Amino acid sequence: MFKKVLIANRGEIAVRIIRACRELGIQTVAVYSEADRRALHVRYADEAYLLGPAPSRESYLRADKILDVARKSEADAIHPGYGFLAERDDFAAMCEEAGIAFIGPKASSIAAMGDKMEARATVIAAGVPVVPGTEDVGNLSNEELLAKAYQIGFPLLIKATAGGGGKGMREVKSLEEMPQLLLSARREAESAFGDGNVYLEKLVEGARHIEFQILADKHGNAIYLGERECSLQRRHQKLLEEAPSAALDEELRAAMGTVAVKAAQAVDYVNAGTIEFLLDKENNYYFLEMNTRLQVEHPVTEMVTGIDIVKEQIRIARGRNLTYQQADVKFNGHAIECRINAEDPYNNFLPSTGTITHSLLPTGPGVRVDTGVYPGFEITPYYDPMIAKLIVWGETR
């Protein structure tokens, strides 16, 4: 049993993890930057420790400082949330070496699925269908990528091997424009992830973005909690997610869910994760990538299954068996999540900063708001502009 969990994150996800810990009777430790001194997660936690200056590279990305706080506070586990250090295999390994439980997958699984090209090679070997692209594991030069583009065909996507969230991604319509797009994709990937390596993938036009939530314990049990429809995006970043998808029937859901579990088992996966697929107009589905962490949109799955995914993460990390078997997972009604972003719609939706002067949150049956802000809280330019999530449930879509 964990007595104390450190949350290595901020904002709404830190508040949400604190809530789960509190309901399980576990004490919580918050960490914060100078810009987040008055943040909600700092107020809610049992203890809070300053990490450093506002920029994330000097605070929330400082694994050494976070582990120092964990030792000082005598926390026996760390939950990384999403973003920051959540998909860093070296951080998971450092936690293990320090004798502190990492509430997430093993470092080897994060490494295997974190490099998108290695992930493709791994699931191909396990018989999972993937979008046609560059299957080679390793760094390919621009010349090699240009040569392979002919074989794949246009349109195609340049994608960062270490990335996500649309960073380092470019759509290519012709060979003529590709050299310049390769350079800009590599630059952006290097800036965002410290790794400028990219690979190519066929652009499946008109495809839906469908992801399956999976849970796996340390005893070989793995299940899927249904799917989420994440097709409504802007600049390759999700804006609205729902569960279940209107495009899937029971037969297709079972087939894709079984493949999702198979992909996770290919890397001996433990804890919560998400297998992302593209679904074309003929209902052919292709493995896209695996997110080796909790997803921003996990609440829609919680709303339709009644399963608290964060509590399950904590139980799994403690070495417990999964609370549920596949036959126990039932779907009830329909849920939709809207991301609430601090952006300026009159300036191409660029992040907007300032002080929140007024906040009126919706309430009532079937309404959930996950947030980390309140009236008087200052939105700074240092972090992601998503400040809250509105999740709603109904009997039907």
Side-chain angles (χ1 to χ4, degrees), residues 41-360:
H41 74 286
V42 176
R43 294 183 175 193
Y44 279 11
D46 295 299
E47 302 172 42
Y49 294 81
L50 176 66
L51 285 176
S56 53
R57 66 181 176 276
E58 298 175 46
S59 51
Y60 297 107
L61 288 173
R62 286 290 300 271
D64 56 337
K65 288 187 176 182
I66 288 167
L67 283 167
D68 282 344
V69 171
R71 292 187 194 98
K72 191 185 298 180
S73 64
E74 298 183 342
D76 37 21
I78 292 177
H79 197 308
Y82 45 69
F84 296 131
L85 297 170
E87 291 182 281
R88 289 275 294 273
D89 59 292
D90 54 347
F91 180 60
M94 286 166 72
C95 291
E96 191 178 345
E97 286 167 21
I100 299 166
F102 180 75
I103 302 175
K106 294 179 290 188
S108 58
S109 301
I110 298 174
M113 285 302 193
D115 185 303
K116 301 300 187 282
M117 286 173 68
E118 187 178 338
R120 283 169 63 86
T122 302
V123 299
I124 287 168
V128 176
V130 300
V131 180
T134 46
E135 266 71 65
D136 314 62
V137 175
N139 293 352
L140 295 176
S141 68
N142 286 357
E143 290 71 27
E144 289 171 313
L145 290 170
L146 286 165
K148 287 180 179 290
Y150 264 127
Q151 300 162 19
I152 298 166
F154 296 94
L156 56 78
L157 288 173
I158 300 167
K159 299 179 80 172
T161 61
K167 299 284 195 302
M169 186 186 292
R170 297 291 185 275
E171 183 179 330
V172 187
K173 295 189 173 102
S174 68
L175 194 65
E176 290 72 36
E177 65 178 4
M178 192 169 160
Q180 191 59 41
L181 291 172
L182 272 171
L183 291 174
S184 64
R186 286 190 189 276
R187 269 198 309 270
E188 188 173 63
E190 180 68 42
S191 171
F193 313 114
D195 183 352
N197 192 32
V198 296
Y199 69 101
L200 305 181
E201 195 173 83
K202 177 73 176 169
L203 178 63
V204 183
E205 295 186 279
R208 287 175 178 264
H209 189 129
I210 308 286
E211 62 185 29
F212 272 74
Q213 176 71 56
I214 65 110
L215 288 174
D217 64 23
K218 297 176 180 179
H219 309 286
N221 304 305
I223 61 173
Y224 63 90
L225 305 185
E227 81 283 359
R228 296 185 285 258
E229 170 87 52
C230 304
S231 301
L232 191 61
Q233 302 184 10
R234 184 185 66 218
R235 296 194 286 264
H236 303 294
Q237 291 192 315
K238 300 165 190 171
L239 290 175
L240 185 146
E241 303 97 354
E242 58 181 309
S245 167
L248 270 62
D249 57 23
E250 287 301 324
E251 188 179 348
L252 186 55
R253 179 172 296 112
M256 292 177 73
T258 302
V259 167
V261 169
K262 191 176 177 183
Q265 289 173 327
V267 290
D268 196 21
Y269 197 82
V270 170
N271 214 271
T274 303
I275 304 290
E276 303 203 353
F277 294 100
L278 289 180
L279 180 71
D280 71 15
K281 293 168 184 173
E282 283 75 48
N283 281 350
N284 300 307
Y285 54 90
Y286 307 96
F287 171 85
L288 188 59
E289 63 184 20
M290 182 175 195
N291 294 120
T292 54
R293 55 170 166 78
L294 190 67
Q295 290 277 83
V296 174
E297 57 273 16
H298 76 274
V300 290
T301 297
E302 294 183 328
M303 295 286 262
V304 298
T305 61
I307 295 171
D308 189 312
I309 295 170
V310 176
K311 285 183 183 176
E312 284 301 305
Q313 284 191 290
I314 295 167
R315 291 186 183 111
I316 291 166
R318 281 166 50 193
R320 301 272 291 275
N321 281 293
L322 281 177
T323 310
Y324 307 90
Q325 296 179 350
Q326 194 62 60
D328 301 325
V329 181
K330 307 291 183 193
F331 306 109
N332 177 33
H334 200 95
I336 297 176
E337 173 181 295
C338 301
R339 300 190 184 198
I340 311 300
N341 298 321
E343 297 173 334
D344 184 354
Y346 301 104
N347 190 20
N348 200 28
F349 293 95
L350 287 173
S352 183
T353 59
T355 302
I356 295 175
T357 56
H358 184 68
S359 174
L360 183 62

